[in-house]
Amino acid sequence: MTTATLILALVVVVALAFDFTNGFHDTGNAMAASIATGALSPKGAVTLAAILNLVGAVLSVEVALTVSNSVVNIQDSKGLPKAELMASGGTMLLLIVFGGLVGGIIWNLFTWLLGLPSSSSHALLGGLVGGTIGALGFAGVKWAGDGSKLDGVIGKVILPSLISPVIAMIVAATATRLIFMITARVEDKFRERRFRWGQVGAASLVSLAHGTNDAQKTMGVITLALVAAGSVSSTAVYVPLWVKLSAATAIALGTYLGGWRIIHTMGKGLVDISSPQGLAADASSATVILASSQLGFALSTTHVATGSIMGVGIGKKGGTVRWTVAGRMVAAWAITFPAAAVMGAVMYWIAAGLGGIVGPLVVLAILCGLSFYMWKRSRVNVIDHRNVTDDWHDGSKPEVVVAAHEVIDPHHELDEPQPAAGPATH
Amino acid sequence: MNMIPLALEGAWKVLLAGLVLGAGLPVLYALSVRGMAMAKGAGAIIGEQTAKPVGKVIAWALLIVILLAVAYGISFIVATGLGKVVTFDHIVPWFVDKPKK
């Protein structure tokens, strides 16, 4: 066994580990609303999400082999590694990917510990950018592409993360507003029960779309590593079946584990959700995600899902959003990419600096140590399927009250002649 | 920085699709819930005593429309996974290979 083969094995292991963290980090994107409204039991929701993620991942026949191309210059347009990185059995490229994945995992675990829904795609891309900077310097990073299309760090990461939550928020707020107008005369209990069905359907679509989108990123990364190490022919790149199946399994198992800390924040921390709002949030997330992938507009499922949940808080008359929680979340979004990049670069330097197989093994040891430490810390205040739907920990109601009409309807006096508009008067 | 107009162009399309489907389908669902409530009458609609069975017909018609839309959504996800797209070129939606860029 050569050093490159050993490093390749480590890359595959950490890639699947990343996929696993991606699974539990994003369970909440599809299921937080359904769990919060009681449309599904916590265990039932993660089981459904896991199955749909598995199905979605297995369906990803056409895998994005060029996943790294949007942000770094380590592959050509066919998905082949750049020739200059192939020296000494592709070790340099393997170490870039290795460092990037470890950086992404550490950041994913850290934000999970804090219960913050940060973007797993940003963690992965940030990590890869960091690894590339470590190896090739800043010149290896594609900041803006050639300007003819949305590309590079600016076009694929920064702009979409600013725009997509706003879109989701507008769509979800509009849907919420209209739903409550239409069903104003329907009794609360009847409405709450009926909307649960629709909510589960919409949440399922989000899960399925997530499976097809996210698992294939890992598949692409593993395949890139296999090509670099010469295990997959570099003339006809294909994704081996075992890669597909193992990546699909890893994301499904991660989803089943359930990132309860994150689900708690999304489902209970931001907004107190009723089932009509849950349907609005999930329908908005599903359509925004699908429309974006149809139009080739890169975005993060996490940003869309949280934007939708904030939107339903704004859209309901007298609805409220805990803006301090939202603020922490947005801060986490902003630093995810650079933080994962720093982590990726440091990990690359350690791995390449020590050299041989020792370097990667030291990095692996650091990863295991940090993971164990963060898991230990999470046991101080356990959040799991038993207490995930408890009220937000400080027992507060969302503190800043926002009247819906002030946000989305400047002509709110039009709403006044509706005496039968239900109990939502304020 | 000529990417901001490009991003806004993409964003505008996503917003439009989001509003038509992402808000439109929940509106249809809300109408169907209202139809169901009409059919039930007392206990489902505030201040209404008589049940109007026609509500049920409206509700089911709307649900079928929603299910068709969802079926399209699923076939879209599946098609993307298989490297195909759904077209309406032949009136009946069908899968075709994704056009090469």
Side-chain angles (χ1 to χ4, degrees), chain B residues 89-100:
Chain B
D89 290 352
H90 312 288
I91 299 154
V92 182
W94 194 244
F95 300 119
V96 295
D97 285 336
K98 202 183 207 165
K100 294 274 174 259

Side-chain angles (χ1 to χ4, degrees), chain A residues 59-62 144 151 155 163 167 171 178 182 185-187 190 194-195 197-198 205 212 279 283 287 290 292 294-295, chain B residues 2-3 7 11 13-14 18 21-22 26-27 29-31 34 37 40 43-46 48 74 76-77 81-83 98:
Chain A
L59 281 173
S60 313
V61 173
E62 185 170 83
D151 202 7
I163 296 170
I167 297 177
V171 172
L178 293 171
I182 292 166
R185 288 185 58 222
V186 178
E187 297 273 5
F190 186 88
R194 287 285 163 174
F195 270 96
W197 287 99
L205 275 181
T212 49
L279 171 72
T287 45
L290 290 176
S292 306
Q294 165 93 341
L295 296 164
Chain B
N2 49 2
M3 243 190 299
K13 286 182 198 156
V14 174
L21 293 169
V27 160
Y29 195 85
L31 288 169
R34 190 169 168 161
K40 195 159 179 259
I45 290 227
I46 297 168
E48 180 72 55
I74 293 172
F76 174 75
I77 298 172
L82 297 173
K98 202 183 207 165

Side-chain angles (χ1 to χ4, degrees), chain A residues 340-352:
Chain A
V342 169
M343 228 83 82
V346 170
M347 293 304 152
Y348 173 84
W349 281 322
I350 296 174

Side-chain angles (χ1 to χ4, degrees), chain B residues 43-68:
Chain B
I45 290 227
I46 297 168
E48 180 72 55
Q49 292 306 315
T50 49
K52 299 192 183 93
V54 66
K56 206 162 219 172
V57 179
I58 300 169
W60 277 106
L62 289 166
L63 285 175
I64 288 167
V65 174
I66 294 166
L67 285 176
L68 285 174

